[in-house]
Amino acid sequence: QVQLVESGGGLVQPGGSLRLSCAASGFPLDYYVIGWFRQAPGKEREGVSCFSSSSGSTYYPASVKGRFTISRDDATNTYYLQMNSLKPEDNAVYYCATAWGCSGDSSDYINWGQGTQVTVSS
């Protein structure tokens, strides 16, 4: 059974940093990619990062490139999203999800975690 569990969200001031975690289990990790998405109230779900274990490639949209970094801990099958220089527009619920290939389209993703709230505010 595929299971994705996010953690690490919280309240941070503008310019601050947070590291989100996604504990993955129940599927062959090397055959999937892990994507991070976010959804703010009243907005569509937006892809913010993707990691392919098979190729080692990563993807970031322009809105977060240079500020967000995705990585994986092979020993614990945990994926991380390091978020630096956070802005109020980064406020959202953040989700991790699996897919066969990196894509910014949430409909391409198969399994989803429950989400973790990130609030950027002074």
Side-chain angles (χ1 to χ4, degrees), residues 17-107:
S17 299
L18 278 177
R19 189 179 75 163
L20 306 183
S21 301
C22 173
S25 62
F27 60 96
L29 298 178
D30 288 345
Y31 293 98
Y32 286 81
V33 303
I34 288 288
W36 281 97
F37 283 77
R38 66 186 181 188
Q39 189 165 23
K43 295 189 176 181
E44 292 187 356
R45 198 163 288 191
E46 173 193 14
V48 295
S49 187
C50 186
F51 179 88
S52 171
S53 296
S54 61
S55 66
S57 61
T58 57
Y59 160 82
Y60 306 95
S63 57
V64 306
K65 198 167 187 177
R67 300 189 299 122
F68 290 11
T69 303
I70 191 171
S71 62
R72 170 183 164 182
D73 182 333
D74 292 343
T76 62
N77 292 335
T78 301
Y79 294 82
Y80 298 100
L81 184 68
Q82 178 67 44
M83 305 186 297
N84 299 328
S85 302
L86 284 163
K87 306 174 182 180
E89 51 262 45
D90 295 318
N91 274 332
V93 178
Y94 284 71
Y95 302 87
C96 59
T98 63
W100 291 111
C102 276
S103 166
D105 186 344
S106 61
S107 66

